[in-house]
Amino acid sequence: MEHDALDAGEARYELVISVDARGSGQYSDAEKPLMRRQIYEVLETAFAQAGVGRNAVHLEDRGDGVLISVPGRIAVARLLGLWMTELHEKLRLDNRRERRPLGLRVAMHVGPVRHDSEGICGDAVNLACGLADSSVARHLLEREQADLVLAVSESLYREVVAPGGKFIDPDRFAPARITLKGGEVTAWFQLPGRPAPALGQPTAPGISTTAASGSPAADEEEDGYEDGDGDAAYRAGRDMNVFRDTTFERSVHIGHNIGTDRRKD
C-alpha cells in the first residue's frame, strides 16, 4: 500500500494483524531464513485463496513475524473467516513435512492506525502486538501443540465474531483477562479447527487471571496450569486449600466453620 504526503500521520480505522513465530530463538542462524520463508509462503497463499491482493495490504517484516494492516474497504469478516481458514490449512499441510513444525500466534484488532514512510503505529497496533505476544497465546500454542492460535480483541469479538458468519464460529472462542503494558484487557482466543480452548473465565475488572509476558506476574503459575515438574499447580482461594508433600502430626481442621454448633465429638 502506498500513502502520499497528504495522508501522512492521519489516522484511519484498519484491521491490524500481528503474526509471531513460536520459539524463534530456538532456530539457528541457518534455520531462520527457512522459517521466515515459510511464514511468508503461508501468509501469501492465504491472501491469494481469500481473494485479497498482496498489494492491497500493508505488510511490515518483524524478523520472526509480520505486522499487517488491512484497509477498511476489505471486509474484516473475510480475514477472520476465510483468510484464517486458509492460513491454518496451508500451515497444517506444510508442517507435515517440516522437521521443525512452524507455530504461529496471530492477533487481530480494528482501530485507528497512522501510516508514515517507515510503517504504522498507534494504540491499535500496540494492542494487536500485545495480544499475539501474551502469555495466554504462548501457553495455548505450547500446551496444545497446535499449529496456530488466534487472539482477537474484545471489541472485534463483539462486533464481528459474536454475530457469526461464514467460517466464523463464536462458540469456538474462549475469553481470558490479560495484562498488557497499557493495562488489563479481555481478549478472545481460538485454536482453529478445534473446540473452544479451556481457559479460566475473566474476572471482575482489576483482577487478572493471566499475565502477559514480561509483566510482574508473568512467572507466576496460572490456575489449573502445570508447574515446572509437570504437576498441576493452583492458587488457593477462600474455599480451596492446596497441600503438597505435607505431613500432619496431629488432627487438624481444614476449612471454615458453618453454623453455631460447637459441640465436641
Side-chain angles (χ1 to χ4, degrees), residues 8-9 12 28 48 55 83 103 112 141-142 156 158 161 163 180 189 231 239 245 260:
R12 67 196 68 191
S28 68
N55 61 351
W83 183 76
L141 201 61
E142 290 300 321
L156 187 55
R158 184 176 61 252
V161 176
L180 304 179
F189 295 85
D231 296 324
D239 295 312
D245 300 327
T260 57

Side-chain angles (χ1 to χ4, degrees), residues 24 32 40 45-46 54 90 108 127 168 182 184 232 254 256:
S24 60
K32 285 180 180 178
Y40 279 93
T45 298
R54 169 63 180 81
K90 171 64 173 172
M108 298 187 182
L127 178 54
I168 300 177
E184 292 185 342
I254 300 173
H256 56 277

Side-chain angles (χ1 to χ4, degrees), residues 34-64:
L34 300 177
M35 173 197 72
R36 286 166 49 78
R37 185 174 68 188
Q38 187 182 2
I39 292 174
Y40 279 93
E41 284 181 354
V42 296
L43 290 176
E44 291 177 359
T45 298
F47 278 127
Q49 293 296 326
V52 178
R54 169 63 180 81
N55 61 351
V57 303
H58 170 84
L59 189 149
E60 289 182 27
D61 182 76
R62 290 298 181 96
D64 59 354

Side-chain angles (χ1 to χ4, degrees), residues 144-208:
E144 303 297 333
Q145 289 299 293
D147 299 306
L148 181 65
V149 61
L150 169 65
V152 302
S153 64
E154 170 74 3
S155 60
L156 187 55
Y157 177 86
R158 184 176 61 252
E159 295 168 5
V160 182
V161 176
K166 190 172 184 180
F167 302 112
I168 300 177
D169 184 356
D171 292 336
R172 292 180 179 266
F173 287 76
R177 190 78 177 167
I178 63 176
T179 302
L180 304 179
K181 290 182 179 179
E184 292 185 342
V185 299
T186 296
W188 292 75
F189 295 85
Q190 180 197 40
L191 295 167
R194 305 190 188 188
L199 296 172
Q201 292 299 312
T203 61
I207 303 177
S208 177

Side-chain angles (χ1 to χ4, degrees), residues 11-20 58 60 62 66-70 107-116 118-133 153 180-181:
R12 67 196 68 191
Y13 272 78
E14 295 183 341
L15 172 67
V16 181
I17 306 174
S18 178
V19 181
D20 283 342
H58 170 84
E60 289 182 27
R62 290 298 181 96
V66 178
L67 181 61
I68 304 166
S69 66
V70 183
M108 298 187 182
H109 173 60
V110 172
V113 177
R114 297 180 185 274
H115 291 255
D116 59 28
E118 303 300 327
I120 59 175
C121 63
D123 289 342
V125 175
N126 294 342
L127 178 54
C129 292
L131 295 180
D133 194 46
S153 64
L180 304 179
K181 290 182 179 179

